[in-house]
Amino acid sequence: MSNLLFSLLTQIALRTKEGFVRQTGHLEATQTQFLLTLLKTYQNTVLGQHWKFEEIKTVEQFRERVPVLSYGFYHPYVDQIAQGQANILTSEPVVYLNLSSGTTGKHKLIPVTKRSRKNRQIINQVAQGFLAEAVQKRQISLGKMLLTSSLQLTGYTEAGIPCGPVSVGDLRLSNFLYKQIFVHPYEALKPSDDLARHYVCLLFALQYPNLGIFGANFPVLALRLADYLEKNALELIQDLEKGTIAEWLTLEPELRGILTKQLTPQPGRAAHLREILHSEGRLTPQLVWPSIGCLVTARGGTSDFYFQRFSDYFGNTPIFGGIYAASEGAFGVYHDLDNDGAILAINTGFYEFIPSDQWDVEQPKTLLPQDLKVGEQYRILVSNYNGLYRYDVGDVVEVVGFYHQTPMITFKYRYKGLLSSTTEKTTEYHVIQVMGQLQQEFSLPLENFCITLSEKEIPPHYLVNIELRSGHFLPNPQQFVTQFDYKLREIHTSYAVKRNNSQVPPPRLRILAPGSFAKLRQHLLDKGMPESQLKFPHISEDRQFLTGLNVEKEVHP
């Protein structure tokens, strides 16, 4: 039955993908049709009447009439929706409010309707179709999926609308059939305690030696799950053997009963895993599930830094990006394994792009997808069924090619995620490149890092805050920080100019105590950030961001 269901879902996904591929050959027509249908559908909403959508007949009329907007404009309208007012941004009822992670600013609430949810499901199916095609070419077999995302809502508005991370909404609103592809019961995603949720998902997955897909919203969460497996190996094996769930877990009693009833003792599988633990000294996903065909997690941005550690846990297992998306919508779909290029999701949104020479303009001149150039970077705007129009997502993307007529883009960094001692505007992408090179040059695996600015000096120094992985040390920290400075000059012209004329002082290295980023992680969770959205920024203008962490050594060049 499981194989039949998987085959059915694959066939649906392949058909949906083929329809999308045809659309990529008719870029302008597809985008125009999407926009005009969107405007007609929402013409009687508050914003639709304000901008007189019924009068707009062309793409150019839309761009002339509606300004480029950020979330600040939408905030009061979302407040009205939260209070229960209808027909504000969408003509359909709002069934959920996506809560953004707030990594680079305040949390945002984005309306979700059945129609916007259906569009997201469609682009997910397109991604599944591309994945099915890619693994077939490589003769990879896929089976059930391990995914430990939470089902916990953040809360409800005064009108009773549920709100929470987009991943929670996706799981709660997903089609029944797609819930069947998980290797664990759907209820295993319900524990409110993060460790308990990961533990029970792993426990059910360990029963199933032929796991096909290892999924995580972000690469750092995939590493976190691998760490849970390694640290709790003995307890997991014991529970697997007996068909029990560890009593020390913080697990809701009723949920514990429901999950325990679905477990059966697996002494044979437990014995096999115990042998692996004895011979290898640990359990890793690759050792436990050699059948894993691919990993599904976010690509682009900070991902490459974490991918450098994947081989230790996953070997050479290929990585698929799924969809490039955020709380505000889905913007791209990946078409192959181990590839950072996402095809613009032209069937789920209308897109415009702000070229770099317009980034400081209040109402910038925008380009349409057909006007983009390979190798150039742009800020992306979206109009979609979440009730957003010419919305500045805040993401900087680079065009890496075209799929038929449609651009392929790679997420680089958040536009507001900039670090400046003076005016050099160092991005997260810059420092990830540098730190990746330094890890290889010094054969030094890092647990994590974050570049901040010193508090007292004017202009401030860059502080290169690093935590070394357990069992490693840095023999020549002076050379490390000197090389950081040299390599950042190589790839970042503005930094090089301002360093060469002493506008920016030399950087300093700070080696943080072991466990520092685990402590920071817990601090962010305690502040209310859901684990599924937890992304450590690799640069921060908040000079208090790492306050409270123990600095073992500070090195000045």
Side-chain angles (χ1 to χ4, degrees):
M1 185 65 180
S2 176
N3 290 337
L4 182 61
L5 176 62
F6 199 83
S7 177
L8 173 62
L9 293 175
T10 299
Q11 291 306 311
I12 293 173
L14 285 170
R15 284 199 296 271
T16 307
K17 187 268 294 183
E18 288 304 318
F20 174 76
V21 168
R22 287 192 292 272
Q23 290 175 316
T24 63
H26 305 280
L27 171 62
E28 292 186 55
T30 300
Q31 281 282 272
T32 299
Q33 180 181 355
F34 181 93
L35 176 64
L36 296 182
T37 303
L38 169 66
L39 299 181
K40 183 177 181 180
T41 304
Y42 286 169
Q43 66 183 9
N44 293 321
T45 62
V46 169
L47 284 189
Q49 293 175 337
H50 173 71
W51 285 315
K52 298 181 181 179
F53 283 173
E54 78 278 1
E55 297 178 1
I56 298 176
K57 305 301 179 185
T58 67
V59 169
E60 286 310 313
Q61 288 176 350
F62 170 72
R63 296 166 77 192
E64 290 169 0
R65 181 165 298 187
V66 180
V68 173
L69 299 164
S70 64
Y71 184 75
F73 171 85
Y74 289 96
H75 185 252
Y77 295 102
V78 177
D79 281 348
Q80 293 177 46
I81 293 171
Q83 293 164 11
Q85 297 185 42
N87 210 43
I88 303 298
L89 297 179
T90 67
S91 55
E92 307 161 285
V94 173
V95 298
Y96 188 79
L97 286 166
N98 284 338
L99 178 69
S100 74
S101 64
T103 303
T104 59
K106 294 182 179 180
H107 292 294
K108 308 169 193 171
L109 287 173
I110 306 298
V112 176
T113 66
K114 287 185 178 180
R115 183 152 187 172
S116 70
R117 176 60 208 157
K118 182 179 179 181
N119 274 354
R120 197 174 182 104
Q121 287 178 329
I122 288 172
I123 205 63
N124 270 315
Q125 287 180 350
V126 172
Q128 291 156 14
F130 276 120
L131 175 59
E133 188 175 72
V135 298
Q136 185 177 24
K137 288 179 181 177
R138 298 199 191 188
Q139 298 183 325
I140 297 172
S141 297
L142 290 186
K144 287 199 168 188
M145 180 180 190
L146 170 60
L147 181 73
T148 62
S149 293
S150 174
L151 283 171
Q152 290 292 316
L153 293 170
T154 302
Y156 293 85
T157 71
E158 58 185 274
I161 302 172
C163 56
V166 61
S167 59
V168 174
D170 280 353
L171 285 169
R172 283 175 167 263
L173 300 171
S174 62
N175 184 293
F176 168 79
L177 289 177
Y178 283 92
K179 296 174 183 176
Q180 311 309 308
I181 68 172
F182 296 134
V183 71
H184 43 72
Y186 186 67
E187 293 82 1
L189 302 176
K190 291 184 177 181
S192 56
D193 181 75
D194 288 328
L195 174 58
R197 185 180 71 256
H198 290 302
Y199 187 99
V200 295
C201 286
L202 284 168
L203 180 58
F204 278 99
L206 288 174
Q207 294 186 116
Y208 195 82
N210 297 317
L211 182 70
I213 303 173
F214 194 102
N217 290 346
F218 303 103
V220 66
L221 298 180
L223 293 172
R224 185 74 181 169
L225 185 55
D227 185 59
Y228 281 131
L229 174 62
E230 188 170 1
K231 289 183 176 177
N232 298 286
L234 278 174
E235 292 89 344
L236 284 163
I237 290 173
Q238 291 168 3
D239 279 337
L240 183 65
E241 184 175 41
K242 299 174 183 178
T244 57
I245 299 175
E247 291 295 330
W248 52 267
L249 285 177
T250 305
L251 188 59
E252 293 83 346
E254 183 179 354
L255 190 54
R256 180 184 287 274
I258 292 171
L259 292 169
T260 301
K261 287 179 182 178
Q262 299 183 67
L263 284 169
T264 55
Q266 301 276 342
R269 176 67 170 155
H272 176 65
L273 294 177
R274 194 173 278 114
E275 288 177 6
I276 294 175
L277 182 60
H278 178 74
S279 61
E280 301 293 336
R282 63 176 185 155
L283 294 185
T284 68
Q286 186 183 29
L287 293 170
V288 171
W289 299 290
S291 59
I292 294 177
C294 76
L295 293 132
V296 177
T297 193
R299 299 190 66 94
T302 64
S303 296
D304 284 349
F305 171 76
Y306 297 108
F307 287 161
Q308 292 186 40
R309 292 174 52 190
F310 267 39
S311 60
D312 192 34
Y313 298 100
F314 304 105
N316 295 320
T317 304
I319 302 169
F320 183 66
I323 62 172
Y324 161 37
S327 302
E328 297 89 346
F331 315 128
V333 57
Y334 293 88
H335 70 291
D336 204 356
L337 302 168
D338 295 327
N339 192 307
D340 284 342
I343 307 168
L344 191 65
I346 57 174
N347 60 346
T348 63
F350 176 80
Y351 300 97
E352 299 171 71
F353 296 84
I354 305 175
S356 57
D357 62 1
Q358 293 286 306
W359 287 358
D360 294 326
V361 178
E362 184 176 347
Q363 284 301 316
K365 295 179 181 178
T366 64
L367 300 175
L368 296 176
Q370 59 268 25
D371 303 321
L372 305 186
K373 296 181 180 179
V374 174
E376 295 293 322
Q377 293 189 354
Y378 306 90
R379 273 180 22 225
I380 186 171
L381 307 180
V382 67
S383 303
N384 61 19
Y385 283 98
N386 296 88
L388 305 174
Y389 308 97
R390 307 198 78 198
Y391 178 88
D392 188 350
V393 177
D395 284 3
V396 173
V397 299
E398 181 177 325
V399 177
V400 294
F402 282 81
Y403 190 95
H404 295 159
Q405 295 179 356
T406 303
M408 293 189 296
I409 56 178
T410 296
F411 168 65
K412 288 300 183 181
Y413 59 91
R414 295 286 294 170
Y415 173 61
K416 294 298 183 182
L418 300 171
L419 198 66
S420 292
S421 173
T422 54
T423 58
E424 68 278 11
K425 296 183 179 179
T426 298
T427 70
E428 197 165 38
Y429 178 65
H430 288 132
V431 299
I432 288 172
Q433 283 185 292
V434 170
M435 297 304 283
Q437 293 175 26
L438 291 178
Q439 281 194 112
Q440 294 181 356
E441 182 178 324
F442 286 81
S443 299
L444 185 72
L446 299 178
E447 183 65 31
N448 221 320
F449 75 93
C450 184
I451 314 300
T452 57
L453 296 173
S454 62
E455 294 187 45
K456 298 179 180 179
E457 295 85 0
I458 299 176
H461 295 263
Y462 278 50
L463 298 179
V464 183
N465 303 281
I466 66 171
E467 180 185 339
L468 307 179
R469 289 192 66 189
S470 178
H472 295 267
F473 71 99
L474 181 57
N476 195 334
Q478 185 78 49
Q479 184 182 0
F480 187 91
V481 70
T482 299
Q483 283 296 96
F484 172 88
D485 187 32
Y486 173 75
K487 291 182 180 297
L488 187 55
R489 294 191 209 203
E490 275 193 324
I491 66 170
H492 185 11
T493 303
S494 181
Y495 176 85
V497 170
K498 292 173 175 61
R499 274 288 291 122
N500 292 341
N501 63 22
S502 299
Q503 290 185 49
V504 175
R508 296 172 178 175
L509 174 67
R510 299 202 307 178
I511 301 176
L512 304 179
S516 290
F517 279 91
K519 184 177 179 180
L520 177 61
R521 172 184 176 276
Q522 190 58 51
H523 173 68
L524 294 173
L525 293 175
D526 291 342
K527 287 177 63 178
M529 180 176 285
E531 189 189 43
S532 62
Q533 291 187 318
L534 186 59
K535 298 171 287 188
F536 288 115
H538 289 306
I539 60 174
S540 177
E541 287 189 301
D542 179 2
R543 303 190 193 190
Q544 304 295 320
F545 184 60
L546 302 180
T547 297
L549 301 184
N550 183 28
V551 179
E552 290 192 334
K553 188 173 186 177
E554 183 163 327
V555 179
H556 299 193

